[in-house]
Protein backbone atom coordinates (compact mmCIF):
# COMPACT_ATOMS: atom_id res chain seq x y z
CA UNK A 1 0.00 0.00 0.00
CA UNK A 2 1.41 3.35 -1.06
CA UNK A 3 0.95 6.57 0.86
CA UNK A 4 1.22 9.92 -0.90
CA UNK A 5 3.86 12.04 0.82
CA UNK A 6 3.55 15.81 1.07
CA UNK A 7 6.88 17.58 0.33
CA UNK A 8 8.28 19.29 3.41
CA UNK A 9 8.49 22.63 1.56
CA UNK A 10 4.80 22.43 0.70
CA UNK A 11 3.96 21.56 4.30
CA UNK A 12 6.00 24.49 5.60
CA UNK A 13 4.25 26.87 3.19
CA UNK A 14 0.88 25.51 4.25
CA UNK A 15 1.73 25.95 7.93
CA UNK A 16 3.00 29.51 7.37
CA UNK A 17 -0.13 30.54 5.51
CA UNK A 18 -2.48 29.11 8.12
CA UNK A 19 -0.90 30.38 11.30
CA UNK A 20 0.74 27.10 12.35
CA UNK A 21 -1.87 24.55 11.25
CA UNK A 22 -1.44 22.72 7.96
CA UNK A 23 -4.56 22.98 5.76
CA UNK A 24 -3.79 21.55 2.33
CA UNK A 25 -6.28 22.29 -0.40
CA UNK A 26 -8.58 19.29 -0.77
CA UNK A 27 -7.93 16.71 -3.47
CA UNK A 28 -11.69 16.18 -3.97
CA UNK A 29 -14.05 19.00 -4.99
CA UNK A 30 -15.22 21.16 -2.11
CA UNK A 31 -18.92 20.60 -1.55
CA UNK A 32 -19.16 17.14 -3.10
CA UNK A 33 -17.74 14.89 -5.80
CA UNK A 34 -20.43 15.79 -8.34
CA UNK A 35 -19.37 19.44 -8.27
CA UNK A 36 -16.08 18.49 -9.92
CA UNK A 37 -17.89 18.02 -13.23
CA UNK A 38 -17.42 20.59 -15.96
CA UNK A 39 -20.88 19.87 -17.34
CA UNK A 40 -24.37 20.38 -15.98
CA UNK A 41 -25.12 18.66 -12.66
CA UNK A 42 -28.84 18.60 -11.85
CA UNK A 43 -31.12 16.49 -9.63
CA UNK A 44 -33.32 13.73 -11.01
CA UNK A 45 -37.08 13.68 -10.72
CA UNK A 46 -37.58 17.40 -11.36
CA UNK A 47 -37.41 19.59 -14.43
CA UNK A 48 -33.96 20.62 -15.59
CA UNK A 49 -32.70 24.15 -14.89
CA UNK A 50 -33.35 26.74 -17.59
CA UNK A 51 -30.65 27.06 -20.24
CA UNK A 52 -27.98 29.67 -19.62
CA UNK A 53 -25.21 31.08 -21.77
CA UNK A 54 -22.97 31.28 -18.69
CA UNK A 55 -19.90 29.05 -18.84
CA UNK A 56 -20.29 28.33 -15.14
CA UNK A 57 -23.07 28.70 -12.57
CA UNK A 58 -24.34 27.55 -9.17
CA UNK A 59 -27.88 27.59 -7.78
CA UNK A 60 -28.03 27.03 -4.02
CA UNK A 61 -30.27 27.31 -0.98
CA UNK A 62 -28.55 29.86 1.25
CA UNK A 63 -30.34 28.61 4.37
CA UNK A 64 -29.46 24.93 4.15
CA UNK A 65 -26.35 25.29 2.02
CA UNK A 66 -27.69 22.73 -0.46
CA UNK A 67 -26.46 23.14 -4.03
CA UNK A 68 -29.52 22.52 -6.20
CA UNK A 69 -27.78 22.55 -9.58
CA UNK A 70 -24.44 23.56 -11.04
CA UNK A 71 -22.41 23.81 -14.20
CA UNK A 72 -18.61 23.77 -13.96
CA UNK A 73 -18.98 24.88 -10.34
CA UNK A 74 -15.24 24.91 -9.60
CA UNK A 75 -14.09 26.27 -12.95
CA UNK A 76 -11.66 29.10 -12.27
CA UNK A 77 -12.36 32.34 -14.13
CA UNK A 78 -11.63 36.04 -13.83
CA UNK A 79 -14.24 37.38 -11.38
CA UNK A 80 -14.34 41.04 -12.44
CA UNK A 81 -16.26 43.17 -9.91
CA UNK A 82 -17.93 40.20 -8.22
CA UNK A 83 -14.63 40.02 -6.30
CA UNK A 84 -15.80 43.14 -4.46
CA UNK A 85 -18.03 40.81 -2.43
CA UNK A 86 -14.86 39.40 -0.86
CA UNK A 87 -13.43 42.90 -0.41
CA UNK A 88 -16.55 43.98 1.49
CA UNK A 89 -16.84 40.80 3.54
CA UNK A 90 -13.18 41.09 4.57
CA UNK A 91 -13.08 44.80 5.40
CA UNK A 92 -16.50 45.50 6.96
CA UNK A 93 -15.44 43.96 10.31
CA UNK A 94 -12.04 45.70 10.21
CA UNK A 95 -13.03 49.31 9.50
CA UNK A 96 -15.20 51.61 11.62
CA UNK A 97 -18.11 52.55 9.35
CA UNK A 98 -18.40 56.00 11.02
CA UNK A 99 -14.73 56.89 10.56
CA UNK A 100 -14.05 59.69 8.05
CA UNK A 101 -11.14 59.68 5.59
CA UNK A 102 -9.91 61.71 2.64
CA UNK A 103 -8.97 59.42 -0.27
CA UNK A 104 -5.56 59.62 -1.91
CA UNK A 105 -5.13 60.81 -5.49
CA UNK A 106 -4.14 57.26 -6.36
CA UNK A 107 -7.52 56.02 -5.14
CA UNK A 108 -9.40 58.78 -6.94
CA UNK A 109 -7.63 58.03 -10.23
CA UNK A 110 -8.39 54.30 -10.49
CA UNK A 111 -9.38 53.08 -13.95
CA UNK A 112 -12.73 51.53 -14.79
CA UNK A 113 -16.02 52.06 -13.00
CA UNK A 114 -15.91 54.76 -10.33
CA UNK A 115 -18.21 56.60 -7.99
CA UNK A 116 -16.24 59.83 -8.48
CA UNK A 117 -14.19 60.28 -5.30
CA UNK A 118 -12.45 63.60 -4.71
CA UNK A 119 -9.32 64.06 -2.54
CA UNK A 120 -10.91 67.25 -1.21
CA UNK A 121 -13.91 65.51 0.36
CA UNK A 122 -14.08 63.59 3.64
CA UNK A 123 -16.07 60.37 3.30
CA UNK A 124 -17.42 58.04 5.91
CA UNK A 125 -16.24 54.45 5.53
CA UNK A 126 -19.92 53.59 5.20
CA UNK A 127 -20.15 55.88 2.15
CA UNK A 128 -17.26 53.99 0.57
CA UNK A 129 -18.87 50.60 1.16
CA UNK A 130 -22.05 51.85 -0.49
CA UNK A 131 -20.01 53.11 -3.43
CA UNK A 132 -18.21 49.76 -3.60
CA UNK A 133 -21.32 47.56 -3.65
CA UNK A 134 -23.88 49.85 -5.30
CA UNK A 135 -21.83 51.74 -7.91
CA UNK A 136 -19.00 49.20 -8.23
CA UNK A 137 -16.52 52.00 -7.52
CA UNK A 138 -12.94 50.92 -8.17
CA UNK A 139 -11.92 54.20 -6.58
CA UNK A 140 -13.84 53.24 -3.42
CA UNK A 141 -12.19 49.80 -3.42
CA UNK A 142 -8.73 51.37 -3.46
CA UNK A 143 -9.63 53.93 -0.79
CA UNK A 144 -10.87 51.14 1.50
CA UNK A 145 -7.74 49.06 0.85
CA UNK A 146 -5.47 52.00 1.65
CA UNK A 147 -7.43 52.71 4.83
CA UNK A 148 -6.92 49.07 5.84
CA UNK A 149 -3.15 49.50 5.72
CA UNK A 150 -2.43 49.26 2.02
CA UNK A 151 -3.06 47.01 -0.95
CA UNK A 152 -0.57 44.30 0.07
CA UNK A 153 -2.09 43.90 3.52
CA UNK A 154 -5.63 43.97 2.13
CA UNK A 155 -4.79 41.27 -0.41
CA UNK A 156 -3.33 39.12 2.36
CA UNK A 157 -6.47 39.68 4.43
CA UNK A 158 -8.79 38.88 1.52
CA UNK A 159 -6.93 35.70 0.61
CA UNK A 160 -6.92 34.61 4.26
CA UNK A 161 -10.68 35.20 4.38
CA UNK A 162 -11.15 33.15 1.21
CA UNK A 163 -9.28 30.25 2.78
CA UNK A 164 -11.33 30.57 5.97
CA UNK A 165 -14.47 30.22 3.85
CA UNK A 166 -12.86 27.27 2.01
CA UNK A 167 -13.13 29.26 -1.21
CA UNK A 168 -9.98 27.62 -2.55
CA UNK A 169 -10.62 28.57 -6.18
CA UNK A 170 -10.31 32.25 -5.26
CA UNK A 171 -7.07 34.21 -5.53
CA UNK A 172 -7.40 37.97 -5.01
CA UNK A 173 -4.82 40.24 -6.61
CA UNK A 174 -6.80 43.52 -6.61
CA UNK A 175 -9.41 44.95 -4.22
CA UNK A 176 -11.62 45.99 -7.15
CA UNK A 177 -11.63 42.88 -9.32
CA UNK A 178 -9.86 44.60 -12.21
CA UNK A 179 -8.19 41.90 -14.30
CA UNK A 180 -4.83 40.77 -12.99
CA UNK A 181 -2.75 37.74 -13.95
CA UNK A 182 -3.33 34.91 -11.49
CA UNK A 183 -6.55 36.35 -10.09
CA UNK A 184 -9.45 33.90 -10.08
CA UNK A 185 -12.66 32.71 -8.50
CA UNK A 186 -15.42 30.22 -9.29
CA UNK A 187 -19.20 30.14 -9.27
CA UNK A 188 -19.00 27.90 -6.22
CA UNK A 189 -16.74 30.33 -4.35
CA UNK A 190 -18.91 33.33 -5.24
CA UNK A 191 -21.88 31.49 -3.74
CA UNK A 192 -19.85 30.71 -0.59
CA UNK A 193 -18.80 34.35 -0.22
CA UNK A 194 -22.35 35.55 -0.86
CA UNK A 195 -23.78 33.22 1.76
CA UNK A 196 -21.29 34.49 4.35
CA UNK A 197 -22.01 38.09 3.37
CA UNK A 198 -25.77 37.66 3.76
CA UNK A 199 -25.18 36.80 7.42
CA UNK A 200 -23.58 40.24 7.98
CA UNK A 201 -26.22 42.97 8.54
CA UNK A 202 -24.06 45.77 7.13
CA UNK A 203 -23.13 43.77 4.03
CA UNK A 204 -26.79 42.94 3.47
CA UNK A 205 -27.79 46.58 3.89
CA UNK A 206 -25.24 47.86 1.38
CA UNK A 207 -26.15 45.35 -1.33
CA UNK A 208 -29.91 45.90 -1.00
CA UNK A 209 -29.86 49.73 -1.10
CA UNK A 210 -31.35 50.95 -4.37
CA UNK A 211 -30.38 54.64 -4.20
CA UNK A 212 -28.38 56.78 -1.78
CA UNK A 213 -27.05 60.30 -1.38
CA UNK A 214 -23.29 60.49 -1.86
CA UNK A 215 -20.99 63.32 -0.66
CA UNK A 216 -19.65 65.76 -3.25
CA UNK A 217 -17.30 68.79 -3.06
CA UNK A 218 -20.47 70.86 -2.88
CA UNK A 219 -23.43 69.07 -1.36
CA UNK A 220 -24.16 65.57 -2.62
CA UNK A 221 -25.41 63.59 -5.60
CA UNK A 222 -27.43 60.42 -5.93
CA UNK A 223 -25.99 57.03 -6.71
CA UNK A 224 -27.99 53.95 -7.68
CA UNK A 225 -27.40 50.23 -7.43
CA UNK A 226 -26.13 48.53 -10.62
CA UNK A 227 -28.12 45.38 -9.84
CA UNK A 228 -31.13 45.73 -12.15
CA UNK A 229 -32.98 42.87 -10.46
CA UNK A 230 -33.55 45.00 -7.35
CA UNK A 231 -36.23 46.73 -9.44
CA UNK A 232 -37.33 43.74 -11.51
CA UNK A 233 -37.36 40.59 -9.38
CA UNK A 234 -39.74 39.96 -6.49
CA UNK A 235 -37.83 39.38 -3.25
CA UNK A 236 -34.44 40.36 -4.66
CA UNK A 237 -31.88 41.14 -1.95
CA UNK A 238 -29.08 42.13 -4.29
CA UNK A 239 -25.35 41.35 -4.20
CA UNK A 240 -23.03 42.12 -7.15
CA UNK A 241 -22.52 42.03 -10.88
CA UNK A 242 -19.31 42.56 -12.82
CA UNK A 243 -17.85 42.85 -16.29
CA UNK A 244 -14.49 43.29 -18.00
CA UNK A 245 -13.49 42.55 -21.59
CA UNK A 246 -11.42 39.56 -20.45
CA UNK A 247 -13.72 38.21 -17.73
CA UNK A 248 -16.94 38.88 -19.64
CA UNK A 249 -20.08 39.18 -17.49
CA UNK A 250 -20.32 37.72 -14.01
CA UNK A 251 -23.00 37.96 -11.33
CA UNK A 252 -23.88 36.72 -7.86
CA UNK A 253 -27.27 37.50 -6.35
CA UNK A 254 -29.82 36.31 -3.82
CA UNK A 255 -33.58 36.58 -3.38
CA UNK A 256 -35.95 35.62 -0.58
CA UNK A 257 -39.45 34.20 -0.91
CA UNK A 258 -41.55 32.45 1.71
CA UNK A 259 -38.76 32.64 4.25
CA UNK A 260 -36.24 30.90 1.97
CA UNK A 261 -33.25 32.44 0.20
CA UNK A 262 -31.83 31.23 -3.10
CA UNK A 263 -28.36 32.25 -4.33
CA UNK A 264 -27.37 32.24 -8.00
CA UNK A 265 -23.84 32.87 -9.24
CA UNK A 266 -22.74 32.90 -12.88
CA UNK A 267 -19.38 33.42 -14.54
CA UNK A 268 -18.20 34.19 -18.04
CA UNK A 269 -21.49 35.09 -19.65
CA UNK A 270 -21.30 36.71 -23.08
CA UNK A 271 -24.30 39.00 -23.00
CA UNK A 272 -27.44 40.24 -21.25
CA UNK A 273 -27.98 37.87 -18.31
CA UNK A 274 -30.70 39.45 -16.16
CA UNK A 275 -33.57 37.42 -17.60
CA UNK A 276 -31.56 34.21 -17.37
CA UNK A 277 -30.71 34.84 -13.71
CA UNK A 278 -34.39 35.49 -12.98
CA UNK A 279 -35.30 32.13 -14.50
CA UNK A 280 -32.53 30.35 -12.56
CA UNK A 281 -33.83 31.89 -9.33
CA UNK A 282 -37.39 30.84 -10.20
CA UNK A 283 -36.18 27.30 -10.81
CA UNK A 284 -34.35 27.26 -7.48
CA UNK A 285 -37.47 28.28 -5.57
CA UNK A 286 -39.57 25.70 -7.47
CA UNK A 287 -37.36 22.69 -6.66
CA UNK A 288 -36.09 23.65 -3.22
CA UNK A 289 -37.09 20.90 -0.78
CA UNK A 290 -38.35 18.65 -3.59
CA UNK A 291 -35.11 17.28 -5.02
CA UNK A 292 -31.94 15.74 -3.70
CA UNK A 293 -29.08 18.28 -3.69
CA UNK A 294 -26.10 17.74 -5.97
CA UNK A 295 -23.70 19.17 -3.40
CA UNK A 296 -23.48 21.68 -0.57
CA UNK A 297 -21.98 25.02 0.35
CA UNK A 298 -19.49 24.16 3.09
CA UNK A 299 -19.28 26.07 6.35
CA UNK A 300 -16.32 28.36 7.12
CA UNK A 301 -13.37 26.92 9.02
CA UNK A 302 -13.26 27.76 12.75
CA UNK A 303 -11.21 30.85 13.53
CA UNK A 304 -8.93 28.80 15.81
CA UNK A 305 -8.15 26.38 12.98
CA UNK A 306 -7.12 29.04 10.50
CA UNK A 307 -5.36 32.01 12.08
CA UNK A 308 -5.18 35.23 10.12
CA UNK A 309 -1.86 36.39 8.66
CA UNK A 310 -1.76 39.61 10.69
CA UNK A 311 -2.25 38.55 14.31
CA UNK A 312 -0.33 40.17 17.15
CA UNK A 313 1.26 36.85 18.14
CA UNK A 314 2.98 36.33 14.80
CA UNK A 315 6.16 37.75 13.37
CA UNK A 316 6.44 40.70 11.01
CA UNK A 317 5.15 40.10 7.48
CA UNK A 318 7.43 39.09 4.65
CA UNK A 319 6.94 39.36 0.91
CA UNK A 320 4.98 36.55 -0.69
CA UNK A 321 6.30 34.80 -3.81
CA UNK A 322 3.73 36.52 -6.05
CA UNK A 323 0.86 38.98 -6.06
CA UNK A 324 2.52 41.48 -3.73
CA UNK A 325 0.62 40.15 -0.71
CA UNK A 326 2.40 39.89 2.60
CA UNK A 327 2.55 36.58 4.43
CA UNK A 328 3.36 36.30 8.11
CA UNK A 329 5.62 33.41 9.11
CA UNK A 330 4.00 31.22 11.74
CA UNK A 331 5.59 29.84 14.87
CA UNK A 332 7.84 26.86 14.12
CA UNK A 333 5.77 23.67 14.11
CA UNK A 334 6.78 20.71 16.32
CA UNK A 335 7.86 18.56 13.34
CA UNK A 336 10.55 21.15 12.56
CA UNK A 337 12.09 21.27 16.08
CA UNK A 338 15.82 22.01 15.92
CA UNK A 339 18.49 20.10 17.83
CA UNK A 340 18.97 23.07 20.15
CA UNK A 341 15.33 22.93 21.25
CA UNK A 342 15.80 19.25 22.25
CA UNK A 343 18.92 19.72 24.40
CA UNK A 344 18.76 18.70 28.05
CA UNK A 345 20.79 20.22 30.91
CA UNK A 346 23.25 17.30 30.82
CA UNK A 347 23.87 17.60 27.09
CA UNK A 348 24.34 21.34 27.43
CA UNK A 349 26.95 20.76 30.19
CA UNK A 350 28.84 18.18 28.12
CA UNK A 351 28.82 20.56 25.20
CA UNK A 352 30.20 23.38 27.34
CA UNK A 353 33.04 21.13 28.63
CA UNK A 354 33.96 20.04 25.10
CA UNK A 355 33.95 23.61 23.80
CA UNK A 356 35.95 24.87 26.79
CA UNK A 357 38.52 22.07 26.46
CA UNK A 358 38.93 22.83 22.79
CA UNK A 359 39.57 26.51 23.48
CA UNK A 360 42.16 25.68 26.18
CA UNK A 361 43.98 23.27 23.88
CA UNK A 362 44.02 25.90 21.16
CA UNK A 363 45.58 28.51 23.48
CA UNK A 364 48.30 26.09 24.62
CA UNK A 365 49.13 25.15 21.03
CA UNK A 366 49.24 28.84 20.04
CA UNK A 367 51.67 29.61 22.85
CA UNK A 368 53.87 26.68 21.88
CA UNK A 369 53.98 27.87 18.29
CA UNK A 370 54.97 31.43 19.28
CA UNK A 371 57.86 30.15 21.42
CA UNK A 372 59.10 28.00 18.52
CA UNK A 373 58.97 30.93 16.08
CA UNK A 374 60.83 33.20 18.53
CA UNK A 375 63.58 30.61 18.91
CA UNK A 376 64.02 30.31 15.14
CA UNK A 377 64.20 34.08 14.52
CA UNK A 378 66.69 34.83 17.36
CA UNK A 379 64.32 37.12 19.20
Amino acid sequence: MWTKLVPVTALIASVALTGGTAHAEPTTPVGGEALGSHGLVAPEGVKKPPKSKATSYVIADAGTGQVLAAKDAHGRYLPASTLKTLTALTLIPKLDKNRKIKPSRNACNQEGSAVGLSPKVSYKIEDLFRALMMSSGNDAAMALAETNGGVAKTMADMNAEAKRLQAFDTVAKTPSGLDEKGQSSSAYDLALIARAGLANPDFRRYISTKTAKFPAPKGHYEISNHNKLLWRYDGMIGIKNGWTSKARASFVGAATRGGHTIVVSIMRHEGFFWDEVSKLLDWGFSVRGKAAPVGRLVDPLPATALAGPHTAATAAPTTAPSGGASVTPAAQPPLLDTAASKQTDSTKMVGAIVIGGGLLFGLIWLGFGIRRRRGRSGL
Side-chain angles (χ1 to χ4, degrees):
M1 181 177 179
W2 293 90
T3 302
K4 185 177 180 181
L5 299 178
V6 178
V8 175
T9 52
L11 181 60
I12 293 171
S14 177
V15 170
L17 285 169
T18 57
T21 304
H23 288 283
E25 291 189 19
T27 55
T28 56
V30 178
E33 192 70 38
L35 297 183
S37 170
H38 293 293
L40 175 65
V41 181
E44 297 181 355
V46 296
K47 62 182 180 180
K48 298 295 182 184
K51 290 184 179 180
S52 173
K53 295 179 182 177
T55 302
S56 172
Y57 72 74
V58 162
I59 307 170
D61 185 325
T64 63
Q66 293 180 344
V67 176
L68 305 175
K71 178 183 177 184
D72 194 18
H74 284 290
R76 296 188 179 193
Y77 302 98
L78 290 168
S81 285
T82 54
L83 189 66
K84 290 183 172 85
T85 57
L86 181 61
T87 308
L89 184 62
T90 302
L91 297 184
I92 285 173
K94 295 178 178 294
L95 303 177
D96 180 359
K97 64 185 176 184
N98 293 314
R99 177 183 171 186
K100 286 190 172 184
I101 64 105
K102 283 189 175 182
S104 69
R105 291 194 177 276
N106 173 56
C108 296
N109 293 330
Q110 290 296 296
E111 64 176 295
S113 60
V115 72
L117 296 185
S118 167
K120 298 179 180 179
V121 178
S122 292
Y123 300 91
K124 280 187 176 183
I125 295 298
E126 186 170 56
D127 294 326
L128 297 179
F129 278 123
R130 286 197 189 98
L132 180 78
M133 301 306 287
M134 293 174 60
S135 299
S136 201
N138 296 340
D139 47 359
M142 182 57 70
L144 288 165
E146 290 178 348
T147 305
N148 185 54
V151 173
K153 180 180 182 300
T154 299
M155 292 305 96
D157 289 345
M158 288 172 63
N159 286 307
E161 179 67 4
K163 284 194 166 43
R164 185 187 74 85
L165 296 174
Q166 302 194 65
F168 297 120
D169 302 324
T170 298
V171 178
K173 294 292 185 76
T174 66
S176 62
L178 282 170
D179 296 336
E180 186 74 25
K181 185 178 180 180
Q183 186 162 264
S184 70
S185 192
S186 66
Y188 182 86
D189 284 8
L190 291 179
L192 274 186
I193 296 165
R195 188 187 187 204
L198 291 172
N200 183 299
D202 286 330
F203 181 100
R204 191 169 178 129
R205 181 162 50 86
Y206 299 140
I207 64 171
S208 62
T209 302
K210 291 183 177 181
T211 61
K213 292 181 179 179
F214 196 76
K218 295 182 179 180
H220 66 269
Y221 52 90
E222 188 172 85
I223 60 174
S224 61
N225 203 306
H226 287 189
N227 188 341
K228 298 180 184 299
L229 293 184
L230 282 171
W231 286 267
R232 297 181 183 181
Y233 192 83
D234 183 31
M236 192 69 194
I237 299 170
I239 299 188
K240 194 74 191 71
N241 56 292
W243 188 91
T244 67
S245 58
K246 291 183 178 180
R248 313 311 293 170
S250 57
F251 174 86
V252 57
T256 298
R257 289 181 183 176
H260 301 287
T261 300
I262 298 296
V263 172
V264 168
S265 58
I266 67 170
M267 298 194 78
R268 197 152 188 86
H269 192 288
E270 291 300 322
F272 192 83
F273 58 79
W274 302 107
D275 291 340
E276 283 186 15
V277 168
S278 297
K279 292 176 181 178
L280 294 175
L281 285 167
D282 285 342
W283 181 88
F285 283 116
S286 71
V287 304
R288 188 209 63 80
K290 300 177 183 177
V294 298
R296 67 185 184 94
L297 299 179
V298 296
D299 294 327
L301 294 171
T304 54
L306 187 58
H310 295 285
T311 56
T314 56
T318 59
T319 302
S322 63
S326 58
V327 179
T328 303
Q332 195 173 34
L335 65 89
L336 298 177
D337 281 346
T338 61
S341 67
K342 296 180 179 178
Q343 287 182 342
T344 61
D345 290 341
S346 60
T347 57
K348 289 177 181 177
M349 181 175 293
V350 171
I353 292 172
V354 171
I355 293 170
L359 289 173
L360 180 61
F361 179 77
L363 290 172
I364 293 173
W365 183 254
L366 179 62
F368 177 73
I370 291 172
R371 290 180 62 185
R372 289 184 64 187
R373 283 196 297 275
R374 284 177 177 174
R376 289 175 182 174
S377 61
L379 295 175

